[in-house]
Amino acid sequence: MPANLPPVYHTAEKRYRQANSPEEKIDALREMYAVMPKHKGTDKLQADIKRKIAQLKEQAKKAPAARQVPQWVIEKVGAGQVPVLGPPNAGKSAIIAKVTHADVRVAEYPFTTQVPVPAMMPFENIQIQLIDSPAWSEEFDVGWLPELARRADACVLVADLSDELADEMIAFILDRMEARDVVLVGRVPDEREGFEVCIPTLLVGNKSDAPGAENVLRELEARFGDRFPLCSISIAQEDGLSEFKRAVFDVMAITRVFTKQPGKEADLGEPFVLPSGSTVHDLAGKIHKEILANLKYARLWGTSGRFKGQRVGEDHVLADGDIVELHTR
Ligand SMILES: Nc1nc2c(ncn2[C@@H]2O[C@H](COP(=O)(O)OP(=O)(O)O)[C@@H](O)[C@H]2O)c(=O)[nH]1
Ligand SMILES: [Mg+2]
């Protein structure tokens, strides 16, 4: 029987695969357990998860707590964590400096950035956490970059349009990632097998102002156009920046929803951020487990509804910008 697991389950499962410590793993497994539908089809999965939690608890007891947090583990804040990866000199730091207010180093010489540097990119009503990263190439192998990518919600892969070999540089990075079971793809497939972690990725050609950039972009399109969404920008000429921000948001595959209390105005401040495909049920679970347990129905304003204030059930799939009024028993 198919398990029909909700997107929130897959998000938690991904968190489990990305976890670095037994504690983090247990936390993710607990969430997977909490959000999964409990029926015959998930009996085995429920038992598996319980067993794994028990095993990890044992493991955590044996391994003492004095673990050092590796430098590539950066606390997630905002709507999602998005490392910016690419070969030397592609303009990774320049992009981040332009779209965030961070003071990252941009330089004529390669390998300026040695440690991951987080910075927040505002996009409409949310903040996306970009991470500047060291350049990665055959001459300079940064072993922990796959670990940074593995934990990410999405990646931005920057190609240098002033470099005729840009596509080779990108192919190198993709290969090295895959060797560590991190697969960068435009859209993560729904059903997956194996140990690989798929990370949704946007390919960006920077330096569209450079001579010959058009040809390099065409090559990238031919080689990777089926695999990734591709956008072309110039930081030097501030060209394509708003399209870039929108493309980062799109590749993250998230839905922003607002909540409102019955009889009151909606709170249009900070939205709840959920994986695309999430339902009213998932939203309730994200807010509070009491609300989830007592959920009766919801009223909905927004593009996923047929009319304003439409009454919908738990399984209703939410759309970006929806306003939801949850009704409990
Ligand atoms: N022509 C041109 N040069 C750029 C552009 N963006 C960045 N650069 C230059 O490329 C060099 C490397 O930039 P940097 O951000 O340090 O690259 P990183 O190694 O990928 O972080 C610097 O000299 C930048 O001024 C652009 O859009 N056009
Ligand atoms: Mg840099």
Side-chain angles (χ1 to χ4, degrees):
M1 188 192 290
N4 276 331
L5 298 162
V8 278
Y9 175 88
H10 292 294
T11 313
E13 192 201 11
K14 187 159 166 189
R15 202 153 67 77
Y16 167 71
R17 291 180 188 220
Q18 296 171 327
N20 288 298
S21 67
E23 290 81 6
E24 264 186 90
K25 284 192 177 139
I26 291 170
D27 196 59
L29 285 167
R30 286 204 172 119
E31 188 180 338
M32 285 156 64
Y33 188 82
V35 301
M36 78 156 66
K38 313 287 189 299
H39 56 64
K40 267 233 146 325
T42 63
D43 271 356
K44 185 174 172 308
L45 197 53
Q46 290 181 51
D48 282 351
I49 289 178
K50 280 190 184 156
R51 196 175 51 246
K52 271 192 203 139
I53 291 175
Q55 280 170 356
L56 284 163
K57 277 189 181 162
E58 279 304 306
Q59 209 176 310
K61 259 190 247 160
K62 280 184 212 142
R67 243 185 318 269
Q68 233 191 326
V69 179
Q71 63 169 349
W72 38 264
V73 175
I74 292 181
E75 191 195 344
K76 290 188 181 185
V77 289
Q81 186 172 81
V82 183
V84 176
L85 310 166
N89 263 318
K92 301 176 293 300
S93 300
I95 293 171
I96 291 176
K98 187 62 81 184
V99 298
T100 73
H101 304 292
D103 180 20
V104 289
R105 289 205 289 166
V106 178
E108 296 284 332
Y109 50 92
F111 314 123
T112 334
T113 312
Q114 300 301 343
V115 294
V117 183
M120 302 307 286
M121 174 174 82
F123 174 74
E124 297 177 354
N125 47 12
I126 55 170
Q127 301 270 336
I128 297 169
Q129 186 185 36
L130 300 182
I131 299 185
D132 198 8
S133 72
W136 207 19
S137 68
E138 236 151 326
E139 300 80 56
F140 194 74
D141 196 359
V142 189
W144 51 264
L145 274 178
E147 301 314 314
L148 181 69
R150 189 195 309 281
R151 290 174 54 82
D153 297 302
C155 285
V156 169
L157 190 51
V158 185
D160 184 346
L161 297 180
S162 72
D163 177 4
E164 277 172 29
L165 296 177
D167 60 328
E168 290 299 325
M169 303 293 262
I170 295 299
F172 167 83
I173 291 173
L174 295 175
D175 279 354
R176 286 297 172 90
M177 288 279 176
E178 266 170 55
R180 300 271 290 274
D181 290 330
V182 177
V183 182
L184 305 184
V185 285
R187 211 183 146 275
V188 176
D190 292 337
E191 299 290 333
R192 283 172 287 134
E193 282 175 15
F195 294 105
E196 289 153 356
V197 174
C198 292
I199 305 292
T201 298
L202 169 70
L203 181 58
V204 177
N206 181 37
K207 309 192 190 179
S208 63
D209 57 283
E214 259 175 56
N215 285 333
V216 179
L217 185 67
R218 229 173 285 133
E219 265 168 46
L220 287 169
E221 170 87 69
R223 190 155 172 191
F224 302 112
D226 290 340
R227 178 163 171 176
F228 303 108
L230 173 61
C231 71
S232 149
I233 62 174
S234 164
I235 291 301
Q237 302 190 332
E238 303 200 1
D239 197 26
L241 293 184
S242 55
E243 291 84 353
F244 165 78
K245 290 184 203 172
R246 162 65 58 182
V248 173
F249 171 77
D250 286 343
V251 83
M252 290 170 76
I254 51 181
T255 296
R256 296 164 294 181
V257 294
F258 302 96
T259 53
K260 79 183 273 306
Q261 305 273 340
K264 292 196 186 145
E265 288 292 304
D267 175 7
L268 296 180
E270 223 179 292
F272 284 92
V273 175
L274 299 162
S276 295
S278 292
T279 60
V280 168
H281 176 96
D282 301 332
L283 171 67
K286 175 125 185 162
I287 297 170
H288 202 282
K289 57 176 187 291
E290 297 253 308
I291 294 182
L292 181 60
N294 295 308
L295 185 65
K296 240 165 75 188
Y297 67 92
R299 287 204 183 277
L300 192 121
W301 288 257
T303 51
S304 82
R306 275 178 289 122
F307 54 87
K308 289 191 173 106
Q310 186 194 348
R311 185 175 161 146
V312 294
E314 298 198 44
D315 295 338
H316 182 83
V317 175
L318 297 164
D320 194 45
D322 277 355
I323 298 170
V324 182
E325 185 179 274
L326 296 171
H327 289 258
T328 51
R329 273 179 268 275

